[in-house]
Amino acid sequence: MDQLEAAGQSRLAASLSELSGDAHGRLALQCAALDLSLVQRLVQTMVRSPQGQAHRAEIGPAMVDRIADHPDGRAEARAVGEQALRDNRVAVVLLAGGQGTRLGFDSPKGMFRIGPVTLHSLFAIHAAGIGASRRDYGCDLPFWLMTSPGTDAETMAFFEKHAMFGLDPRTVGTFVQGMLPAVDPATGDILHEAPDQLTLSPDGHGGIFRAMGRAAVLGDLEERGIDVIMTMQVDNPLMRPADPELVGAHLMAQAEMSTLVVAKTSAEERMGVMATVDGRTALVEYSDLPKDLEQAHDADGALTYWAGSTGVHCLDRGFATRIASGEVELPFHRAEKRVATVDDPDPQAANAVKFEAFIFDALPLAARTATVEMAREERFAPVKNADGADSPDTCRVAMVARASRWLQSSGVTVPDGAVVEIDPRFAQDPADLHGRVPTDLIIDEPVYFPPPA
Ligand code: UTP
């Protein structure tokens, strides 16, 4: 109670004192789990006495390793990445702690069934990619899932129900990201959704650093000699876990943090873009990119801010540790949201401020970064919305189109409209298909290419 008062949360302290028995115990437990000094700092600087922008940041174009510029360099990057995998220097973290609000799916998003033929889940597809790389490179490739209190138990139960999708249970782990309370926009008081329940939400994908530190994941990786942590989003089944080309490009650049980008489809596409901000590599969210820059074109007619982030990064383990330990700090962002609260005078208006950290805010903190372009149709088809753009429908179309292209490159006849799905353990790359599919094959019904026996 005293700590709540000291942190400027006397209203919450009073609500706690009004409760008794189990209800008191439940609320007291949630209060005890709060990082009160962080909450106090966020409320003070972003709600009660918000500081204005010190200066207008100077945004400039990013330096990107474009596909067309370095075809040979890419083969070299791939070879370097493959060697790093064989040398057991790489781990993968799947970001799976989000609430998936836009998709409107009740369970963790990774359980969403996306396979165009099999209806395999997003988790199943990512796990298959991990299994394929472990087999092909003879490596451990530790696989961690970042969950949140709302997704952790269901995620692990799902993996267990599916026998860890064939992975050794000792090699798959979860760590749970932190939660932050929503606060009243006028007073900074922590909100309740019920008398004995605070309004809490995950602390954003930038919570990965603190969470990896707390759960001793970084120490474990250090002991194993792993120095590259690839992070990827759960909702993009086209992404190849531990993509050797990205890992290699990251290592060749001696980068502390790297980003995989694809070309935006239009100036208006709602994607964060790579840029420089005050001279440092950064990602600028679409809502923060001034309209004139969004529409800017180079002398050759190409979009200036074309490099959309896929949300895939490689992190140097030492760099991640510096952030996890608080030696360098990620900023928090403030978002006005609607949340369910006990006393809600206007059920339409935004009634809460939430705080979130973003993984990409680590970019300007890195001594060196690499930004690597890949073809969108090969690596990026996220499931964000229930329908329209970036929905299950557009994602399945992209999965089928990629599988069809790969098969056609091996001589297989794939008529328009055919539905095909390739398990990552069958092929993670078109070259893997050579010798695995008969070239005189004609697809005339939905076909799934399963893992080899
Ligand atoms: P998004 O920003 O797309 O959020 O997350 P979301 O939760 O999936 O969906 P909406 O915005 O509520 O509709 C991108 C990736 O980051 C992870 C998500 O699970 C997804 O893989 N993420 C996001 C976390 O792991 N933790 C968070 O706090 C937020």
Side-chain angles (χ1 to χ4, degrees), residues 94-104 109 146-148 177-178 201-207 232-235 356-357 383-385:
L94 190 66
L95 303 179
Q99 295 177 303
T101 329
R102 286 169 287 171
L103 183 61
K109 215 195 238 184
M146 180 168 84
T147 58
S148 52
Q177 70 178 106
S201 49
D203 58 1
H205 39 57
M232 52 189 278
Q233 306 196 341
V234 71
D235 50 24
E356 267 190 308
V383 179
K384 297 285 183 198
N385 307 308

Side-chain angles (χ1 to χ4, degrees), residues 370-386:
T371 306
V372 181
E373 182 194 13
M374 290 193 189
R376 172 187 287 255
E377 59 276 17
E378 288 293 307
R379 288 291 180 269
F380 189 61
V383 179
K384 297 285 183 198
N385 307 308

Side-chain angles (χ1 to χ4, degrees), residues 76-93 130 133-134 137-144 217-218 220-231 241-244 246-256 258 313-320 368:
E76 196 185 342
R78 187 189 168 102
V80 169
E82 291 185 330
Q83 191 56 46
L85 278 157
R86 285 189 205 97
D87 292 344
N88 269 328
R89 291 176 61 188
V90 186
V92 172
V93 176
I130 295 282
S133 292
R134 287 181 180 172
Y137 301 110
C139 58
D140 295 344
L141 193 60
F143 181 40
W144 289 96
V217 174
L218 290 166
D220 174 66
L221 297 183
E222 183 175 8
E223 268 172 35
R224 292 159 170 246
I226 283 165
D227 56 357
V228 182
I229 305 167
M230 177 170 152
T231 67
D243 191 315
L246 179 65
V247 169
H250 167 81
L251 287 170
M252 286 167 71
Q254 298 187 316
E256 289 191 319
S258 301
H313 299 281
C314 283
L315 297 165
D316 172 70
R317 186 197 18 84
F319 173 64
R368 273 177 308 282

Side-chain angles (χ1 to χ4, degrees), residues 363-436:
L363 283 164
L365 306 175
R368 273 177 308 282
T369 60
T371 306
V372 181
E373 182 194 13
M374 290 193 189
R376 172 187 287 255
E377 59 276 17
E378 288 293 307
R379 288 291 180 269
F380 189 61
V383 179
K384 297 285 183 198
N385 307 308
D387 39 44
D390 296 339
S391 64
D393 285 352
T394 57
C395 179
R396 285 191 194 108
V397 166
M399 291 173 79
V400 169
R402 184 177 76 171
S404 304
R405 258 192 333 273
W406 287 7
L407 289 161
Q408 282 160 344
S409 75
S410 280
V412 175
T413 305
V414 188
D416 280 354
V419 183
V420 283
E421 179 178 343
I422 298 177
D423 190 285
R425 291 161 295 191
F426 189 82
Q428 294 210 89
D429 188 274
D432 295 340
L433 291 176
H434 297 310
R436 284 194 192 157

